[in-house]
Amino acid sequence: QVQLVQSGAEVKKPGSSVKVSCKASGGSFSANTITWVRQAPGHGLEWLGGIMPLSGTINHARKFQGRVTFAADTSTNTASMEVRSLTSEDTAVYYCAKVAQELGGAVDLWGQGTQITVSS
Amino acid sequence: DIQMTQSPSSLSASVGDKVTITCRASQSISNFLNWYQQKPGKAPELLIYATLTLKTGVPSRFSGSRSGTTFTLTINSLQPEDFATYFCQQSYSNPPNLSFGGGTRVDI
């Protein structure tokens, strides 16, 4: 059974960048869209964007266009997300997740989350 | 962009109660509406997809329905393990934009 395993927590300085990885363990994600969602402390879920690994098609939430980059390596079943120009408002848990087209585009598999803390 | 408005933001209930959570879309999204449950410190989990289809293994006390652009999650006979936060999410947008509702926290 496929699991999404994310990289570990990080503490970053304002203005720096962070890269979070997401590896599909026990299977492949190439045929699915990998999407990224974040959750700030005490807040709801915010969609950042996603990538279709097979085609390389990328979609961004308007808010993150130009500041967030998505990538995927089908040979290692690993997706990644980089956020640049970090501010304290980027402090959140970041999740990668798999979109299931056969379930109408619902997200049916989530990574464990990666805590990113932005602090001087 | 499609906006999802979820209500209430929180509610208090007792074991055995019937709970109703509502999510309204800013435009037609057909049946492309999904519900998730999230417990503290955990990733969300899919409960219902395409408005009313329960994911395999989800108890039948959960149900979903739709009236126009208003969607409802109902929990019949609330159980202790149901105390959590619930989110709706639309998957209608093309190109994809998986906007979420603000969440409903269900407390004892």
Side-chain angles (χ1 to χ4, degrees):
Chain A
Q1 186 166 345
V2 179
Q3 287 184 307
L4 298 178
V5 181
Q6 298 182 224
S7 50
E10 299 205 45
V11 179
K12 292 294 190 178
K13 300 286 189 187
S16 67
S17 300
V18 67
K19 189 171 184 178
V20 180
S21 68
C22 170
K23 183 173 176 59
S25 168
S28 170
F29 62 40
S30 297
N32 301 101
T33 295
I34 296 297
T35 197
W36 292 86
V37 175
R38 75 179 186 181
Q39 187 169 35
H43 285 72
L45 302 170
E46 183 174 32
W47 180 73
L48 285 79
I51 183 169
M52 299 176 68
L54 267 185
S55 66
T57 300
I58 290 172
N59 291 288
H60 289 85
R62 199 184 311 250
K63 174 179 177 180
F64 299 104
Q65 196 102 31
R67 198 165 70 90
V68 177
T69 302
F70 303 106
D73 184 342
T74 55
S75 67
T76 61
N77 287 314
T78 302
S80 63
M81 175 197 65
E82 182 178 32
V83 184
R84 297 177 293 279
S85 302
L86 290 166
T87 72
S88 58
E89 294 188 351
D90 294 314
T91 294
V93 176
Y94 288 75
Y95 294 100
C96 66
K98 179 177 77 67
V99 176
Q101 292 306 323
E102 69 274 21
L103 304 185
V107 176
D108 69 338
L109 181 66
W110 297 73
Q112 82 275 19
T114 297
Q115 174 70 53
I116 302 299
T117 303
V118 183
S119 173
S120 55
Chain B
D1 293 353
I2 299 174
Q3 308 300 319
M4 306 302 296
T5 304
Q6 190 173 340
S7 61
S9 57
S10 65
L11 64 91
S12 295
S14 301
V15 173
D17 283 354
K18 177 180 177 180
V19 167
T20 300
I21 298 168
T22 298
C23 188
R24 189 177 75 251
S26 60
Q27 65 181 71
S28 174
I29 58 170
S30 186
N31 284 325
F32 291 91
L33 190 284
N34 313 300
W35 291 98
Y36 301 85
Q37 178 191 69
Q38 185 181 34
K39 296 186 177 179
K42 300 291 187 182
E45 292 186 358
L46 179 63
L47 285 178
I48 292 174
Y49 61 94
T51 298
L52 50 76
T53 304
L54 268 60
K55 184 183 177 186
T56 302
V58 172
S60 58
R61 62 180 179 272
F62 291 91
S63 64
S65 62
R66 167 196 172 192
S67 176
T69 58
T70 299
F71 299 81
T72 301
L73 170 69
T74 300
I75 311 172
N76 283 298
S77 188
L78 199 67
Q79 296 301 298
E81 60 269 29
D82 300 336
F83 291 95
T85 301
Y86 295 84
F87 294 93
C88 64
Q89 174 241 333
Q90 65 85 15
S91 52
Y92 174 82
S93 297
N94 189 15
N97 180 340
L98 305 183
S99 44
F100 290 88
T104 297
R105 179 173 169 173
V106 178
D107 287 329
I108 298 174

